[in-house]
Amino acid sequence: MANSTNGTVIVGPPPGKEQQAAGVGILLQIMMLVLSFVLSHVLRRKRFYYLPEASVSLLIGLIVGGLADFSSTKTSIRSWFNFHEEFFFLFLLPPIIFQSGFSLAPKPFFSNFGAIVTFAILGTFVASIVTGVLVYLGGVLMLMYKLPFVECLMFGALISATDPVTVLSIFQELGTDMNLYALVFGESVLNDAMAISLYRTMSSVNSHASSGGNFLLVVLRFLETFVGSMSSGVGVAFISALLFKYAGLDVDNLQNLECCLFVLFPYFSYMLAEGLGLSGIVSILFTGIVMKHYSFTNLSENSQRFCAAFFHLISSLAETFVFIYMGFDIAMEQHSWSHVGFIFFSILFIGIARAANVFSSAYLVNLARPDSRKIPKKHQKALWYSGLRGAMAFALALQSVHDLPEGHGQTILTATTAIVVLTVLLIGGSTGTMLEALEVVGDGHDGPLGESFEGNNGYIVPSYDEGSSSGNKLKMRLKELHRSAGNFTALDRNYLTPFFTTQNDSDEENRDDTESNARRPG
């Protein structure tokens, strides 16, 4: 095709060549995905835990990107890969976040609800502030590249998002205490929502520097982002629960329609929040949690099996692709490697901030718990070690390139990418050894999580000794907050579940059948 502009003829690539390049790019991506899944499976069969699935995906991306970088085809391979940020935010990230909320086991999550919220909300806030302040002080002291204070807080917020997928997979392989599993998994799920809300709040403050000193306005922006996004996600999930309860879709010839609607609701939640100027990621996360608890039980058995397998499938594909791309990106892109000190000290400060998060939150949780339910030190150390960085931190770092001045955002992206790679490869590879050294594996995670939660196993069953009051007002307040989790469980059992699901109707029908059978003469 030739275009003439001011007498100059510009010859573009033929349409056939563009299709061929796109086909080669898709083929390359599929080959890397297949290789990643096969190698991960082989290593798991061999019980080789020093190279987890995320590490395998990263290394494949690094190797392919490195080979392309040394070859003369770097430009063409880069165009073949053709990765766009819109594709990441709209198609890769939503299924990963939705599956995180959707796969939460209700019993361990709600039994440890107070502790999970403390770690995810208060702990993440502490970690982000500590990281931001330390990074700012490091710049002031000329230890690392200097960023403005609000930008340091933005970096602290985005790097506080944890993704312990490697730790959780090893937990499942080796077996671990179900309470520790629930704490690590629950914290990582709600932690994403907190981190992105903090990041958006700080980004808004940074873009309106004149109003940045108004602390009340900052708090209102955070509440608008977090509470607004959460409310939209929960609202969409409740609507879906009522639809599946009363629409009568759980019959054989309508199961295809039932599954299609169930798959569409999470994306509806995500796009609704984005359209309202809120956080789609926070919204779809809470949509996943609520849909699993209410909407999912209203589906037919076949639809339940299909939807659970479908979301697990696409989230696995998306997460594997994200780690492959991170490895590919670090090898192919031009990063600000001149700021090595920023990366080194950031890793050090993140470890300090993670410790401040875990140990301070655990101290507050243990104040409200009796001795039989306190979080032991070895579990606190495992929580500290499991704070890997992953897809969410990388996504927010990509966003920071557009939100911050040229150079600052690129420095943060480079540092975040390096931190993700180092934590996944080094910490992820040594996780199995660390967990065995702490003696927190192989002690009671024999079945699927949540199957054996009825009895007093470890510190799972709430029990309060009212006669042993120490008179400490803080301790009593924390106990009252801890009881609120039990009150919510009662509210859910007595009102929300009967209203939004068919479980109560099924129980009444079974009860009527039993009573009618009992009345029949023998």
Side-chain angles (χ1 to χ4, degrees):
M1 182 182 295
N3 296 324
S4 178
T5 305
N6 296 327
T8 303
V9 178
I10 303 173
V11 180
K17 290 291 185 180
E18 292 181 356
Q19 294 178 3
Q20 183 182 13
V24 172
I26 294 173
L27 175 63
L28 176 64
Q29 296 167 31
I30 292 175
M31 288 174 60
M32 289 192 290
L33 284 169
V34 170
L35 182 60
S36 176
F37 283 121
V38 171
L39 281 179
S40 299
H41 174 70
V42 171
L43 292 174
R44 288 177 65 183
R45 287 283 300 271
K46 299 294 184 181
R47 294 185 174 274
F48 187 79
Y49 300 116
Y50 297 102
L51 205 61
E53 297 176 18
S55 301
V56 171
S57 304
L58 270 173
L59 286 176
I60 289 174
L62 280 168
I63 292 171
V64 173
L67 292 176
D69 195 27
F70 282 112
S71 69
S72 59
T73 58
K74 175 182 177 180
T75 303
S76 60
I77 290 181
R78 182 65 197 173
S79 64
W80 291 347
F81 207 77
N82 199 26
F83 186 90
H84 297 288
E85 293 173 19
E86 292 80 7
F87 176 70
F88 181 88
F89 284 106
L90 295 179
F91 295 101
L92 291 182
L93 203 56
I96 296 174
I97 302 303
F98 178 80
Q99 177 64 14
S100 297
F102 191 73
S103 58
L104 272 180
K107 285 184 178 180
F109 178 76
F110 286 110
S111 296
N112 289 282
F113 184 74
I116 290 172
V117 169
T118 303
F119 282 106
I121 305 299
L122 177 62
T124 303
F125 178 78
V126 170
S128 62
I129 296 298
V130 170
T131 303
V133 170
L134 290 177
V135 169
Y136 179 74
L137 292 177
V140 170
L141 297 175
M142 301 297 182
L143 297 175
M144 55 198 298
Y145 184 71
K146 184 178 179 181
L147 294 174
F149 183 65
V150 177
E151 294 183 11
C152 292
L153 293 178
M154 291 175 64
F155 176 66
L158 71 87
I159 207 63
S160 296
T162 60
D163 183 18
V165 59
T166 300
V167 178
L168 294 174
S169 65
I170 293 176
F171 277 0
Q172 292 178 328
E173 291 289 332
L174 300 179
T176 188
D177 183 271
M178 60 186 67
N179 301 282
L180 176 60
Y181 188 99
L183 286 176
V184 173
F185 188 50
E187 185 221 355
S188 69
V189 170
L190 296 183
N191 160 277
D192 287 342
M194 184 67 178
I196 192 170
S197 298
L198 284 172
Y199 175 83
R200 286 205 170 195
T201 302
M202 296 303 170
S203 177
S204 177
V205 171
N206 188 60
S207 60
H208 302 84
S210 59
S211 59
N214 192 336
F215 179 75
L216 180 61
L217 189 61
V218 173
V219 173
L220 289 176
R221 282 177 184 153
F222 170 76
L223 292 176
E224 178 187 4
T225 301
F226 186 81
V227 178
S229 303
M230 179 181 69
S231 300
S232 67
V234 171
V236 169
F238 278 149
I239 292 172
S240 72
L242 292 174
L243 173 68
F244 290 115
K245 180 179 180 179
Y246 293 110
L249 300 174
D250 55 341
V251 292
D252 290 339
N253 59 337
L254 291 178
Q255 287 179 1
N256 185 41
L257 174 61
E258 188 180 37
C259 294
C260 289
L261 288 173
F262 195 88
V263 170
L264 289 175
F265 266 104
Y267 267 105
F268 175 76
S269 170
Y270 185 89
M271 297 304 173
L272 175 65
E274 290 292 330
L276 294 174
L278 302 171
S279 170
I281 296 172
V282 176
S283 178
I284 200 173
L285 170 63
F286 284 97
T287 300
I289 295 173
V290 178
M291 284 188 72
K292 176 60 179 292
H293 195 51
Y294 299 108
S295 308
F296 187 71
T297 58
N298 296 332
L299 302 179
S300 61
E301 291 186 6
N302 289 336
S303 297
Q304 286 183 356
R305 286 193 293 269
F306 171 81
C307 290
F310 175 78
F311 285 119
H312 180 72
L313 168 67
I314 61 172
S315 67
S316 297
L317 284 170
E319 192 152 28
T320 301
F321 185 84
V322 167
F323 280 107
I324 288 175
Y325 176 73
M326 277 193 283
F328 191 89
D329 177 80
I330 201 171
M332 292 281 288
E333 291 288 349
Q334 296 295 325
H335 290 281
S336 303
W337 296 117
S338 58
H339 305 305
V340 177
F342 189 91
I343 298 172
F344 173 79
F345 283 104
S346 293
I347 294 174
L348 179 63
F349 295 155
I350 288 168
I352 296 172
R354 179 68 181 171
N357 169 355
V358 170
F359 297 115
S360 63
S361 299
Y363 174 76
L364 292 176
V365 171
N366 286 340
L367 279 179
R369 288 184 166 187
D371 292 338
S372 60
R373 300 190 65 232
K374 292 186 185 298
I375 303 175
K377 280 292 183 183
K378 63 181 183 180
H379 286 187
Q380 295 178 34
K381 294 176 183 177
L383 274 166
W384 174 76
Y385 200 82
S386 62
L388 305 181
R389 271 59 184 177
M392 179 56 66
F394 182 68
L396 293 176
L398 279 176
Q399 186 65 42
S400 72
V401 176
H402 302 287
D403 294 340
L404 298 178
E406 184 177 356
H408 293 187
Q410 191 63 40
T411 299
I412 288 178
L413 175 61
T414 299
T416 303
T417 308
I419 289 167
V420 170
V421 171
L422 290 174
T423 56
V424 170
L425 291 179
L426 299 181
I427 298 178
S430 60
T431 298
T433 304
M434 184 276 301
L435 294 177
E436 289 176 351
L438 290 175
E439 299 178 348
V440 295
V441 291
D443 57 348
H445 190 66
D446 298 328
L449 192 66
E451 285 187 356
S452 57
F453 262 75
E454 301 298 332
N456 185 0
N457 183 1
Y459 52 91
I460 195 69
V461 180
S463 60
Y464 299 97
D465 186 2
E466 297 293 342
S468 62
S469 175
S470 64
N472 189 327
K473 290 184 178 180
L474 175 62
K475 191 171 182 179
M476 295 304 296
R477 288 286 179 87
L478 290 171
K479 284 189 175 184
E480 290 175 6
L481 289 173
H482 206 66
R483 283 194 188 92
S484 64
N487 295 334
F488 175 78
T489 303
L491 173 69
D492 172 58
R493 182 177 61 251
N494 296 328
Y495 299 100
L496 296 180
T497 297
F499 184 77
F500 288 106
T501 71
T502 57
Q503 288 181 351
N504 192 55
D505 300 336
S506 302
D507 293 342
E508 290 180 358
E509 291 176 2
N510 294 334
R511 193 182 306 114
D512 292 341
D513 292 341
T514 302
E515 291 175 357
S516 63
N517 292 332
R519 293 194 195 101
R520 291 177 183 172

